[in-house]
Amino acid sequence: MSERSRAAQDLLDDVATRSGLAPATANVATMLVAAHLAATLTEFRLADLRRRIPEFDEVAAEGRAHAAEIASGRLAAGGGTFTGRLFASVGGLVGGDGGGPVSRTMVLIGQLGRIGLDVGALRALGRAMIGHVRGRLGDGYVDTMVARARARIPILGRFLA
């Protein structure tokens, strides 16, 4: 990966600290989530997020590179967690990255499991990322986005605080 901006590193450091996960794992996980959001948000929501968090595209680009490494088998923590393997398999069956929001989210959860995150770590990551964004964008914005995500993809309720 190329040298990242100070703003992007600050975002990654804050999520790692808030989550309590190992920094390297938290960084890759945050990047994967950013790449997922870049691929699934509407153009309007994506433009708004980019305006509010200028380093978003940089973090998402690194996430896309990590997703490719996971897909090729070059990046995985000993095969990953059972949850990760299960969600990746089911996501692949229902359309994978080319499917709808539910299958794409299952693939993301599978990718996160492949790098070693279990359900507790997924929750910690979700809380940390929401906490970071809440601190930057405010309660109203985050509460609206979380409610929309939960309504669109009910399984997210298990991971979003």
Side-chain angles (χ1 to χ4, degrees):
M1 299 293 146
S2 63
E3 191 70 25
R4 73 177 58 101
S5 71
R6 182 76 244 156
Q9 190 60 55
D10 288 346
L11 182 154
L12 295 170
D13 290 345
D14 185 54
V15 171
T17 299
R18 287 175 186 258
S19 70
L21 299 172
T25 301
N27 289 351
V28 172
T30 302
M31 293 172 200
L32 289 168
V33 171
H36 172 75
L37 291 173
T40 58
L41 288 176
T42 65
E43 283 302 317
F44 174 78
R45 295 284 170 219
L46 189 55
D48 189 40
L49 188 59
R50 286 173 171 150
R51 182 177 53 76
R52 293 170 179 258
I53 302 178
E55 65 274 18
F56 175 80
D57 281 330
E58 179 182 355
V59 174
E62 286 193 61
R64 284 188 293 278
H66 287 304
E69 289 178 338
I70 291 168
S72 72
R74 290 189 312 264
L75 180 65
T81 64
F82 173 75
T83 301
R85 291 189 309 272
L86 176 65
F87 276 103
S89 296
V90 174
L93 289 174
V94 295
D97 282 334
V102 173
S103 65
R104 286 180 173 178
T105 300
M106 294 177 89
V107 168
L108 171 65
I109 294 169
Q111 291 169 336
L112 295 170
R114 287 280 196 205
I115 64 167
L117 274 66
D118 60 16
V119 172
L122 290 171
R123 287 185 182 131
L125 177 70
R127 283 191 305 272
M129 291 185 78
I130 289 171
H132 178 86
V133 174
R134 188 178 299 280
R136 290 183 66 178
L137 307 180
D139 292 339
Y141 181 88
V142 172
D143 291 344
T144 298
M145 295 306 290
V146 168
R148 285 182 179 155
R150 283 181 171 159
R152 191 170 175 205
I153 307 168
I155 195 168
L156 289 179
R158 293 195 60 192
F159 307 109
L160 299 177

